[in-house]
Amino acid sequence: VHFGFDATKVMFSAGNVTERRRIGSINMEGEVVVDAYAGVGYYTLHMALRSRAKHIHACEINPDSIAGLAWAQETNGLNKQITIHQGDNQETLPKLYGQADRCHLGLLPSSEGVWNHALGCLKPKGGWIHIHMNVHKNELEEWQASTLETLKKYAEHHKRRWDITIEHLERVKWFSPHVCHVVLDVQCRETQQKEHA
């Protein structure tokens, strides 16, 4: 995976290498993915090249990051596989509602500002959401429970009848003393129970 960026203008976090590898090891063949905070392609490129996602909608607001991502898109031969959506993701994500099998929310300290949009982006049958967050080590269980409740409320808002479950919590690295960068893998599935007339 070839990355391109101007080190005087954008950050490249080498500390996230384990999470980039983990995301890249998930089989996404045939999937449409929305990356809500693409940056220079930290995760977008791994999902495209290693996870073999069918198509990735990469949302990014920073022109300097977009320049790096566009360079990497060309260099890695991913022009047909990645669409870059430039601008505020509060405006770009609603245009992608109902299209994704998976949403990646890689913003620290919190990606909560787009959880509602991420659920809206998933196809009616559901899909996966990967939520990045900084959480105090003593609050991990409480945060997971409250996150699940929030996601269920947003699903109701989108009139989605889903079973929403936490499948995995990945501890990526320490962000600061006692505060951990985690990724929560959440699966949304259509409720199996059928109503009888």
Side-chain angles (χ1 to χ4, degrees):
V1 179
H2 298 284
F3 291 92
F5 58 96
D6 182 341
T8 67
K9 295 181 178 176
V10 297
M11 178 200 77
F12 188 89
S13 180
N16 293 339
V17 66
T18 56
E19 181 59 14
R20 289 199 299 275
R21 286 179 183 152
R22 186 183 79 91
I23 285 293
S25 70
I26 298 172
N27 182 0
M28 301 181 191
E29 280 191 63
E31 291 188 3
V32 174
V33 180
V34 170
D35 191 347
Y37 301 96
V40 297
Y42 296 114
Y43 301 104
T44 298
L45 298 174
H46 279 271
M47 290 188 288
L49 279 167
R50 297 182 54 239
S51 299
R52 306 214 177 274
K54 179 181 177 183
H55 197 84
I56 300 178
H57 293 283
C59 300
E60 179 54 45
I61 195 170
N62 183 341
D64 295 315
S65 294
I66 289 169
L69 178 56
W71 179 91
Q73 179 185 22
E74 176 75 29
T75 302
N76 290 289
L78 299 170
N79 285 329
K80 293 182 179 177
Q81 206 172 340
I82 297 173
T83 301
I84 299 172
H85 300 270
Q86 183 168 359
D88 186 341
N89 61 16
Q90 295 292 330
E91 297 173 5
T92 57
L93 289 172
K95 296 174 184 175
L96 300 170
Y97 274 14
Q99 297 184 37
D101 298 289
R102 188 179 302 267
C103 291
H104 187 268
L105 314 179
L107 180 71
L108 295 179
S110 170
S111 61
E112 191 168 357
V114 299
W115 291 359
N116 188 24
H117 288 316
L119 286 172
C121 286
L122 291 180
K123 293 175 179 176
K125 67 178 182 179
W128 288 85
I129 296 181
H130 303 282
I131 299 173
H132 288 241
M133 196 80 162
N134 283 344
V135 184
H136 192 281
K137 66 179 183 179
N138 296 335
E139 298 171 0
L140 285 170
E141 286 189 19
E142 179 186 336
W143 174 73
Q144 289 178 77
S146 66
T147 296
L148 199 56
E149 288 308 306
T150 300
L151 294 176
K152 287 177 179 177
K153 288 177 186 172
Y154 286 148
E156 287 177 17
H157 168 78
H158 290 288
K159 297 181 169 53
R160 301 296 192 206
R161 299 188 60 182
W162 289 334
D163 289 323
I164 303 177
T165 55
I166 293 170
E167 297 298 322
H168 178 71
L169 176 73
E170 182 72 14
R171 298 179 193 217
V172 180
K173 64 180 188 290
W174 290 107
F175 183 81
S176 63
H178 311 295
V179 175
C180 193
H181 170 189
V182 299
V183 180
L184 195 65
D185 298 338
V186 178
Q187 188 170 21
C188 305
R189 302 180 192 88
E190 277 186 302
T191 303
Q192 295 299 310
Q193 189 176 5
K194 303 287 184 184
E195 287 187 9
H196 298 286

PDB file of all heavy atoms in Angstrom, residues 157-181:
ATOM      1  N   HIS A 157     -34.878   6.087  14.299  1.00  0.00           N
ATOM      2  CA  HIS A 157     -35.050   7.341  13.562  1.00  0.00           C
ATOM      3  C   HIS A 157     -35.076   7.087  12.057  1.00  0.00           C
ATOM      4  O   HIS A 157     -35.836   7.727  11.320  1.00  0.00           O
ATOM      5  CB  HIS A 157     -33.918   8.310  13.920  1.00  0.00           C
ATOM      6  CG  HIS A 157     -33.833   9.502  13.031  1.00  0.00           C
ATOM      7  ND1 HIS A 157     -34.682  10.585  13.135  1.00  0.00           N
ATOM      8  CD2 HIS A 157     -32.990   9.799  11.997  1.00  0.00           C
ATOM      9  CE1 HIS A 157     -34.371  11.482  12.213  1.00  0.00           C
ATOM     10  NE2 HIS A 157     -33.349  11.032  11.511  1.00  0.00           N
ATOM     11  N   HIS A 158     -34.241   6.140  11.594  1.00  0.00           N
ATOM     12  CA  HIS A 158     -34.186   5.808  10.160  1.00  0.00           C
ATOM     13  C   HIS A 158     -35.205   4.728   9.771  1.00  0.00           C
ATOM     14  O   HIS A 158     -35.182   4.235   8.648  1.00  0.00           O
ATOM     15  CB  HIS A 158     -32.775   5.338   9.787  1.00  0.00           C
ATOM     16  CG  HIS A 158     -31.758   6.436   9.807  1.00  0.00           C
ATOM     17  ND1 HIS A 158     -31.701   7.431   8.849  1.00  0.00           N
ATOM     18  CD2 HIS A 158     -30.749   6.720  10.683  1.00  0.00           C
ATOM     19  CE1 HIS A 158     -30.704   8.264   9.127  1.00  0.00           C
ATOM     20  NE2 HIS A 158     -30.123   7.856  10.231  1.00  0.00           N
ATOM     21  N   LYS A 159     -36.084   4.380  10.753  1.00  0.00           N
ATOM     22  CA  LYS A 159     -37.121   3.369  10.538  1.00  0.00           C
ATOM     23  C   LYS A 159     -36.526   2.025  10.112  1.00  0.00           C
ATOM     24  O   LYS A 159     -37.066   1.330   9.254  1.00  0.00           O
ATOM     25  CB  LYS A 159     -38.155   3.852   9.516  1.00  0.00           C
ATOM     26  CG  LYS A 159     -38.917   5.092   9.984  1.00  0.00           C
ATOM     27  CD  LYS A 159     -39.945   5.551   8.984  1.00  0.00           C
ATOM     28  CE  LYS A 159     -40.870   6.604   9.534  1.00  0.00           C
ATOM     29  NZ  LYS A 159     -40.218   7.765  10.128  1.00  0.00           N
ATOM     30  N   ARG A 160     -35.394   1.683  10.726  1.00  0.00           N
ATOM     31  CA  ARG A 160     -34.738   0.396  10.472  1.00  0.00           C
ATOM     32  C   ARG A 160     -35.056  -0.559  11.613  1.00  0.00           C
ATOM     33  O   ARG A 160     -34.825  -0.226  12.784  1.00  0.00           O
ATOM     34  CB  ARG A 160     -33.223   0.564  10.356  1.00  0.00           C
ATOM     35  CG  ARG A 160     -32.770   1.506   9.270  1.00  0.00           C
ATOM     36  CD  ARG A 160     -33.151   1.003   7.902  1.00  0.00           C
ATOM     37  NE  ARG A 160     -32.467   1.764   6.859  1.00  0.00           N
ATOM     38  CZ  ARG A 160     -32.940   1.900   5.626  1.00  0.00           C
ATOM     39  NH1 ARG A 160     -34.084   1.343   5.293  1.00  0.00           N
ATOM     40  NH2 ARG A 160     -32.267   2.590   4.721  1.00  0.00           N
ATOM     41  N   ARG A 161     -35.558  -1.719  11.267  1.00  0.00           N
ATOM     42  CA  ARG A 161     -35.830  -2.743  12.273  1.00  0.00           C
ATOM     43  C   ARG A 161     -34.654  -3.716  12.269  1.00  0.00           C
ATOM     44  O   ARG A 161     -34.649  -4.719  11.553  1.00  0.00           O
ATOM     45  CB  ARG A 161     -37.149  -3.451  11.961  1.00  0.00           C
ATOM     46  CG  ARG A 161     -38.342  -2.502  11.980  1.00  0.00           C
ATOM     47  CD  ARG A 161     -39.638  -3.231  11.875  1.00  0.00           C
ATOM     48  NE  ARG A 161     -39.808  -4.162  12.988  1.00  0.00           N
ATOM     49  CZ  ARG A 161     -40.867  -4.963  13.124  1.00  0.00           C
ATOM     50  NH1 ARG A 161     -41.833  -4.943  12.232  1.00  0.00           N
ATOM     51  NH2 ARG A 161     -40.936  -5.788  14.149  1.00  0.00           N
ATOM     52  N   TRP A 162     -33.655  -3.367  13.040  1.00  0.00           N
ATOM     53  CA  TRP A 162     -32.419  -4.133  13.068  1.00  0.00           C
ATOM     54  C   TRP A 162     -32.141  -4.688  14.455  1.00  0.00           C
ATOM     55  O   TRP A 162     -32.482  -4.081  15.463  1.00  0.00           O
ATOM     56  CB  TRP A 162     -31.216  -3.251  12.692  1.00  0.00           C
ATOM     57  CG  TRP A 162     -31.136  -2.829  11.268  1.00  0.00           C
ATOM     58  CD1 TRP A 162     -31.667  -3.460  10.174  1.00  0.00           C
ATOM     59  CD2 TRP A 162     -30.466  -1.678  10.753  1.00  0.00           C
ATOM     60  NE1 TRP A 162     -31.367  -2.772   9.023  1.00  0.00           N
ATOM     61  CE2 TRP A 162     -30.618  -1.677   9.355  1.00  0.00           C
ATOM     62  CE3 TRP A 162     -29.734  -0.651  11.345  1.00  0.00           C
ATOM     63  CZ2 TRP A 162     -30.070  -0.687   8.539  1.00  0.00           C
ATOM     64  CZ3 TRP A 162     -29.189   0.332  10.545  1.00  0.00           C
ATOM     65  CH2 TRP A 162     -29.358   0.315   9.151  1.00  0.00           C
ATOM     66  N   ASP A 163     -31.478  -5.846  14.465  1.00  0.00           N
ATOM     67  CA  ASP A 163     -30.801  -6.306  15.672  1.00  0.00           C
ATOM     68  C   ASP A 163     -29.400  -5.710  15.609  1.00  0.00           C
ATOM     69  O   ASP A 163     -28.667  -5.964  14.651  1.00  0.00           O
ATOM     70  CB  ASP A 163     -30.712  -7.840  15.702  1.00  0.00           C
ATOM     71  CG  ASP A 163     -32.063  -8.487  15.948  1.00  0.00           C
ATOM     72  OD1 ASP A 163     -32.850  -7.936  16.736  1.00  0.00           O
ATOM     73  OD2 ASP A 163     -32.328  -9.538  15.337  1.00  0.00           O
ATOM     74  N   ILE A 164     -29.026  -4.918  16.593  1.00  0.00           N
ATOM     75  CA  ILE A 164     -27.715  -4.262  16.600  1.00  0.00           C
ATOM     76  C   ILE A 164     -26.884  -4.868  17.723  1.00  0.00           C
ATOM     77  O   ILE A 164     -27.299  -4.857  18.885  1.00  0.00           O
ATOM     78  CB  ILE A 164     -27.854  -2.736  16.780  1.00  0.00           C
ATOM     79  CG1 ILE A 164     -28.736  -2.159  15.665  1.00  0.00           C
ATOM     80  CG2 ILE A 164     -26.484  -2.064  16.773  1.00  0.00           C
ATOM     81  CD1 ILE A 164     -29.002  -0.666  15.776  1.00  0.00           C
ATOM     82  N   THR A 165     -25.737  -5.415  17.361  1.00  0.00           N
ATOM     83  CA  THR A 165     -24.906  -6.106  18.343  1.00  0.00           C
ATOM     84  C   THR A 165     -23.448  -5.668  18.236  1.00  0.00           C
ATOM     85  O   THR A 165     -22.960  -5.347  17.148  1.00  0.00           O
ATOM     86  CB  THR A 165     -24.968  -7.638  18.137  1.00  0.00           C
ATOM     87  OG1 THR A 165     -24.617  -7.944  16.783  1.00  0.00           O
ATOM     88  CG2 THR A 165     -26.348  -8.175  18.445  1.00  0.00           C
ATOM     89  N   ILE A 166     -22.782  -5.664  19.380  1.00  0.00           N
ATOM     90  CA  ILE A 166     -21.346  -5.412  19.417  1.00  0.00           C
ATOM     91  C   ILE A 166     -20.644  -6.745  19.190  1.00  0.00           C
ATOM     92  O   ILE A 166     -20.869  -7.704  19.935  1.00  0.00           O
ATOM     93  CB  ILE A 166     -20.932  -4.795  20.765  1.00  0.00           C
ATOM     94  CG1 ILE A 166     -21.524  -3.387  20.891  1.00  0.00           C
ATOM     95  CG2 ILE A 166     -19.410  -4.751  20.895  1.00  0.00           C
ATOM     96  CD1 ILE A 166     -21.382  -2.777  22.263  1.00  0.00           C
ATOM     97  N   GLU A 167     -19.822  -6.821  18.165  1.00  0.00           N
ATOM     98  CA  GLU A 167     -19.137  -8.061  17.828  1.00  0.00           C
ATOM     99  C   GLU A 167     -17.700  -8.102  18.341  1.00  0.00           C
ATOM    100  O   GLU A 167     -17.149  -9.176  18.554  1.00  0.00           O
ATOM    101  CB  GLU A 167     -19.166  -8.276  16.303  1.00  0.00           C
ATOM    102  CG  GLU A 167     -20.568  -8.432  15.737  1.00  0.00           C
ATOM    103  CD  GLU A 167     -21.314  -9.634  16.292  1.00  0.00           C
ATOM    104  OE1 GLU A 167     -20.679 -10.693  16.494  1.00  0.00           O
ATOM    105  OE2 GLU A 167     -22.527  -9.500  16.557  1.00  0.00           O
ATOM    106  N   HIS A 168     -17.080  -6.925  18.503  1.00  0.00           N
ATOM    107  CA  HIS A 168     -15.672  -6.922  18.921  1.00  0.00           C
ATOM    108  C   HIS A 168     -15.270  -5.519  19.393  1.00  0.00           C
ATOM    109  O   HIS A 168     -15.721  -4.517  18.838  1.00  0.00           O
ATOM    110  CB  HIS A 168     -14.781  -7.341  17.736  1.00  0.00           C
ATOM    111  CG  HIS A 168     -13.317  -7.331  18.050  1.00  0.00           C
ATOM    112  ND1 HIS A 168     -12.711  -8.249  18.886  1.00  0.00           N
ATOM    113  CD2 HIS A 168     -12.310  -6.505  17.631  1.00  0.00           C
ATOM    114  CE1 HIS A 168     -11.418  -7.999  18.960  1.00  0.00           C
ATOM    115  NE2 HIS A 168     -11.148  -6.942  18.218  1.00  0.00           N
ATOM    116  N   LEU A 169     -14.417  -5.471  20.399  1.00  0.00           N
ATOM    117  CA  LEU A 169     -13.788  -4.222  20.832  1.00  0.00           C
ATOM    118  C   LEU A 169     -12.281  -4.387  20.675  1.00  0.00           C
ATOM    119  O   LEU A 169     -11.680  -5.258  21.298  1.00  0.00           O
ATOM    120  CB  LEU A 169     -14.118  -3.899  22.289  1.00  0.00           C
ATOM    121  CG  LEU A 169     -13.411  -2.650  22.838  1.00  0.00           C
ATOM    122  CD1 LEU A 169     -14.032  -1.386  22.257  1.00  0.00           C
ATOM    123  CD2 LEU A 169     -13.456  -2.613  24.366  1.00  0.00           C
ATOM    124  N   GLU A 170     -11.692  -3.579  19.822  1.00  0.00           N
ATOM    125  CA  GLU A 170     -10.243  -3.617  19.584  1.00  0.00           C
ATOM    126  C   GLU A 170      -9.584  -2.469  20.335  1.00  0.00           C
ATOM    127  O   GLU A 170      -9.945  -1.306  20.155  1.00  0.00           O
ATOM    128  CB  GLU A 170      -9.947  -3.488  18.085  1.00  0.00           C
ATOM    129  CG  GLU A 170      -8.492  -3.567  17.727  1.00  0.00           C
ATOM    130  CD  GLU A 170      -7.891  -4.956  17.858  1.00  0.00           C
ATOM    131  OE1 GLU A 170      -8.665  -5.937  17.982  1.00  0.00           O
ATOM    132  OE2 GLU A 170      -6.653  -5.057  17.825  1.00  0.00           O
ATOM    133  N   ARG A 171      -8.617  -2.804  21.185  1.00  0.00           N
ATOM    134  CA  ARG A 171      -7.832  -1.774  21.863  1.00  0.00           C
ATOM    135  C   ARG A 171      -6.612  -1.497  20.995  1.00  0.00           C
ATOM    136  O   ARG A 171      -5.701  -2.318  20.925  1.00  0.00           O
ATOM    137  CB  ARG A 171      -7.423  -2.262  23.252  1.00  0.00           C
ATOM    138  CG  ARG A 171      -8.620  -2.537  24.129  1.00  0.00           C
ATOM    139  CD  ARG A 171      -8.215  -3.045  25.487  1.00  0.00           C
ATOM    140  NE  ARG A 171      -9.383  -3.575  26.184  1.00  0.00           N
ATOM    141  CZ  ARG A 171      -9.602  -3.463  27.474  1.00  0.00           C
ATOM    142  NH1 ARG A 171      -8.739  -2.814  28.240  1.00  0.00           N
ATOM    143  NH2 ARG A 171     -10.666  -3.984  28.034  1.00  0.00           N
ATOM    144  N   VAL A 172      -6.607  -0.349  20.343  1.00  0.00           N
ATOM    145  CA  VAL A 172      -5.568  -0.039  19.361  1.00  0.00           C
ATOM    146  C   VAL A 172      -4.273   0.381  20.042  1.00  0.00           C
ATOM    147  O   VAL A 172      -3.207  -0.177  19.797  1.00  0.00           O
ATOM    148  CB  VAL A 172      -6.043   1.058  18.382  1.00  0.00           C
ATOM    149  CG1 VAL A 172      -4.951   1.380  17.360  1.00  0.00           C
ATOM    150  CG2 VAL A 172      -7.318   0.610  17.668  1.00  0.00           C
ATOM    151  N   LYS A 173      -4.362   1.391  20.910  1.00  0.00           N
ATOM    152  CA  LYS A 173      -3.162   1.883  21.598  1.00  0.00           C
ATOM    153  C   LYS A 173      -3.599   2.836  22.705  1.00  0.00           C
ATOM    154  O   LYS A 173      -4.749   3.269  22.752  1.00  0.00           O
ATOM    155  CB  LYS A 173      -2.230   2.612  20.619  1.00  0.00           C
ATOM    156  CG  LYS A 173      -2.803   3.892  20.008  1.00  0.00           C
ATOM    157  CD  LYS A 173      -1.815   4.543  19.071  1.00  0.00           C
ATOM    158  CE  LYS A 173      -2.271   5.908  18.594  1.00  0.00           C
ATOM    159  NZ  LYS A 173      -3.408   5.878  17.680  1.00  0.00           N
ATOM    160  N   TRP A 174      -2.658   3.165  23.588  1.00  0.00           N
ATOM    161  CA  TRP A 174      -2.925   4.188  24.594  1.00  0.00           C
ATOM    162  C   TRP A 174      -2.840   5.545  23.929  1.00  0.00           C
ATOM    163  O   TRP A 174      -1.863   5.856  23.248  1.00  0.00           O
ATOM    164  CB  TRP A 174      -1.933   4.102  25.746  1.00  0.00           C
ATOM    165  CG  TRP A 174      -2.136   2.887  26.591  1.00  0.00           C
ATOM    166  CD1 TRP A 174      -1.344   1.776  26.634  1.00  0.00           C
ATOM    167  CD2 TRP A 174      -3.216   2.647  27.486  1.00  0.00           C
ATOM    168  NE1 TRP A 174      -1.870   0.857  27.503  1.00  0.00           N
ATOM    169  CE2 TRP A 174      -3.021   1.374  28.051  1.00  0.00           C
ATOM    170  CE3 TRP A 174      -4.342   3.389  27.872  1.00  0.00           C
ATOM    171  CZ2 TRP A 174      -3.903   0.809  28.973  1.00  0.00           C
ATOM    172  CZ3 TRP A 174      -5.219   2.838  28.802  1.00  0.00           C
ATOM    173  CH2 TRP A 174      -4.999   1.564  29.334  1.00  0.00           C
ATOM    174  N   PHE A 175      -3.864   6.351  24.106  1.00  0.00           N
ATOM    175  CA  PHE A 175      -3.882   7.704  23.562  1.00  0.00           C
ATOM    176  C   PHE A 175      -3.199   8.667  24.527  1.00  0.00           C
ATOM    177  O   PHE A 175      -2.486   9.579  24.128  1.00  0.00           O
ATOM    178  CB  PHE A 175      -5.326   8.136  23.295  1.00  0.00           C
ATOM    179  CG  PHE A 175      -5.443   9.484  22.658  1.00  0.00           C
ATOM    180  CD1 PHE A 175      -5.258   9.653  21.288  1.00  0.00           C
ATOM    181  CD2 PHE A 175      -5.731  10.606  23.427  1.00  0.00           C
ATOM    182  CE1 PHE A 175      -5.364  10.899  20.702  1.00  0.00           C
ATOM    183  CE2 PHE A 175      -5.839  11.860  22.844  1.00  0.00           C
ATOM    184  CZ  PHE A 175      -5.650  12.002  21.473  1.00  0.00           C
ATOM    185  N   SER A 176      -3.445   8.444  25.811  1.00  0.00           N
ATOM    186  CA  SER A 176      -2.835   9.212  26.898  1.00  0.00           C
ATOM    187  C   SER A 176      -2.945   8.328  28.141  1.00  0.00           C
ATOM    188  O   SER A 176      -3.577   7.269  28.083  1.00  0.00           O
ATOM    189  CB  SER A 176      -3.560  10.552  27.091  1.00  0.00           C
ATOM    190  OG  SER A 176      -4.900  10.334  27.485  1.00  0.00           O
ATOM    191  N   PRO A 177      -2.338   8.717  29.264  1.00  0.00           N
ATOM    192  CA  PRO A 177      -2.458   7.870  30.450  1.00  0.00           C
ATOM    193  C   PRO A 177      -3.920   7.561  30.781  1.00  0.00           C
ATOM    194  O   PRO A 177      -4.740   8.476  30.883  1.00  0.00           O
ATOM    195  CB  PRO A 177      -1.803   8.710  31.558  1.00  0.00           C
ATOM    196  CG  PRO A 177      -0.811   9.546  30.818  1.00  0.00           C
ATOM    197  CD  PRO A 177      -1.471   9.877  29.503  1.00  0.00           C
ATOM    198  N   HIS A 178      -4.261   6.282  30.850  1.00  0.00           N
ATOM    199  CA  HIS A 178      -5.584   5.773  31.219  1.00  0.00           C
ATOM    200  C   HIS A 178      -6.638   5.921  30.113  1.00  0.00           C
ATOM    201  O   HIS A 178      -7.772   5.474  30.298  1.00  0.00           O
ATOM    202  CB  HIS A 178      -6.115   6.437  32.502  1.00  0.00           C
ATOM    203  CG  HIS A 178      -5.128   6.430  33.617  1.00  0.00           C
ATOM    204  ND1 HIS A 178      -4.670   5.263  34.214  1.00  0.00           N
ATOM    205  CD2 HIS A 178      -4.480   7.444  34.251  1.00  0.00           C
ATOM    206  CE1 HIS A 178      -3.808   5.551  35.159  1.00  0.00           C
ATOM    207  NE2 HIS A 178      -3.657   6.872  35.205  1.00  0.00           N
ATOM    208  N   VAL A 179      -6.301   6.560  28.993  1.00  0.00           N
ATOM    209  CA  VAL A 179      -7.269   6.730  27.897  1.00  0.00           C
ATOM    210  C   VAL A 179      -6.812   5.917  26.700  1.00  0.00           C
ATOM    211  O   VAL A 179      -5.693   6.079  26.213  1.00  0.00           O
ATOM    212  CB  VAL A 179      -7.434   8.220  27.512  1.00  0.00           C
ATOM    213  CG1 VAL A 179      -8.355   8.356  26.297  1.00  0.00           C
ATOM    214  CG2 VAL A 179      -7.993   9.008  28.687  1.00  0.00           C
ATOM    215  N   CYS A 180      -7.695   5.049  26.247  1.00  0.00           N
ATOM    216  CA  CYS A 180      -7.359   4.095  25.192  1.00  0.00           C
ATOM    217  C   CYS A 180      -8.076   4.439  23.888  1.00  0.00           C
ATOM    218  O   CYS A 180      -9.262   4.791  23.887  1.00  0.00           O
ATOM    219  CB  CYS A 180      -7.767   2.696  25.649  1.00  0.00           C
ATOM    220  SG  CYS A 180      -7.096   1.363  24.650  1.00  0.00           S
ATOM    221  N   HIS A 181      -7.347   4.348  22.775  1.00  0.00           N
ATOM    222  CA  HIS A 181      -7.956   4.424  21.446  1.00  0.00           C
ATOM    223  C   HIS A 181      -8.519   3.043  21.148  1.00  0.00           C
ATOM    224  O   HIS A 181      -7.784   2.059  21.077  1.00  0.00           O
ATOM    225  CB  HIS A 181      -6.888   4.830  20.421  1.00  0.00           C
ATOM    226  CG  HIS A 181      -7.327   4.717  18.995  1.00  0.00           C
ATOM    227  ND1 HIS A 181      -6.442   4.862  17.940  1.00  0.00           N
ATOM    228  CD2 HIS A 181      -8.530   4.463  18.421  1.00  0.00           C
ATOM    229  CE1 HIS A 181      -7.087   4.704  16.805  1.00  0.00           C
ATOM    230  NE2 HIS A 181      -8.354   4.458  17.071  1.00  0.00           N
TER     231      HIS A 181
END
